[in-house]
Amino acid sequence: YRQTATVDLRTLNLIDDDRLFNGFGAFTGIYDGNNNRVDAIDIQAAGLFASNSGTLRGIRLSTGKVDATGLSTAGGLCGTNTGTIVGCINEAQIITSAGATADLGGICGSNTGYIIACLNTGTILEGTTTGGICGNNQNTNAGSIMACINTGMLNPMATNLGYICGQSTATTTQVIQTCFALVGSAQRVIGGPED
């Protein structure tokens, strides 16, 4: 699938909370956003896609929010990633009910696949496991998260908190390579080091 123009979701969600679009389900193919925007996303879902086992590339969520209330994982692009996400941008806010147990990330909530050259500028001020790119990384292969950037503000009260990943079960080195974050975006105490 290839996106050929900007998609403005305001045209689908016109009547109060009666959403006509609430995200896609599990995705297994190739979706090329072709660097076009998806504007004004406003969904109660795990992400633009519930899960990805294919390839998502060149997608830009430019504004809006993803409401993960009642879900255990969520991100801008997908809740769980077992495939590949490359060259995607999330600028949408990721939210859930206060104190909810959830793995939240700017790109995906839980990762066992690959995330390459992605950017998150969206705010994630909730969730117990919170990361700028992914909440919980379970891929142990070197370079499974590579060349990513986070500048979005993250939940300082998260139990597991990280600029790139909130938590990683990988014990091998070099799982996360050449990634950067705005200093302070994930700090528990202003001016203090990340825990």
Side-chain angles (χ1 to χ4, degrees):
Y1 303 92
R2 190 174 193 206
Q3 185 176 330
T4 58
T6 294
V7 175
D8 188 346
L9 293 177
R10 280 176 286 237
T11 60
L12 292 178
N13 299 328
L14 297 176
I15 307 170
D16 297 328
D17 289 330
D18 187 15
R19 295 180 175 95
L20 298 177
F21 175 73
N22 228 356
F24 299 107
F27 187 74
T28 60
I30 298 172
Y31 187 99
D32 183 357
N34 199 26
N35 298 314
N36 289 297
R37 299 189 323 268
V38 176
D39 291 343
I41 191 167
D42 182 6
I43 57 175
Q44 188 167 355
L48 182 63
F49 298 94
S51 62
N52 172 54
S53 59
T55 299
L56 303 177
R57 67 182 180 219
I59 301 169
R60 179 182 176 192
L61 302 181
S62 65
T63 55
K65 69 180 178 184
V66 174
D67 184 347
T69 298
L71 301 172
S72 59
T73 61
L77 276 293
C78 59
T80 58
N81 177 51
T82 58
T84 300
I85 303 174
V86 61
C88 292
I89 299 171
N90 175 58
E91 299 174 59
Q93 182 180 20
I94 313 297
I95 66 171
T96 189
S97 54
T101 301
D103 296 342
L104 303 181
I107 301 300
C108 69
S110 177
N111 179 58
T112 57
Y114 290 86
I115 305 172
I116 302 165
C118 290
L119 168 68
N120 175 62
T121 66
T123 300
I124 312 168
L125 294 181
E126 294 158 3
T128 52
T129 300
T130 304
I133 300 301
C134 77
N136 187 356
N137 176 58
Q138 300 171 46
N139 188 336
T140 60
N141 295 317
S144 57
I145 299 175
M146 186 170 14
C148 293
I149 298 173
N150 173 60
T151 63
M153 293 299 296
L154 306 176
N155 179 12
M157 302 307 293
T159 303
N160 303 300
L161 174 65
Y163 292 113
I164 302 301
C165 290
Q167 181 177 28
S168 182
T169 57
T171 57
T172 55
T173 59
Q174 302 299 316
V175 170
I176 300 171
Q177 297 180 5
T178 323
C179 291
F180 301 92
L182 176 67
V183 174
S185 63
Q187 291 181 354
R188 295 181 193 278
V189 180
I190 295 174
E194 178 188 7
D195 288 344

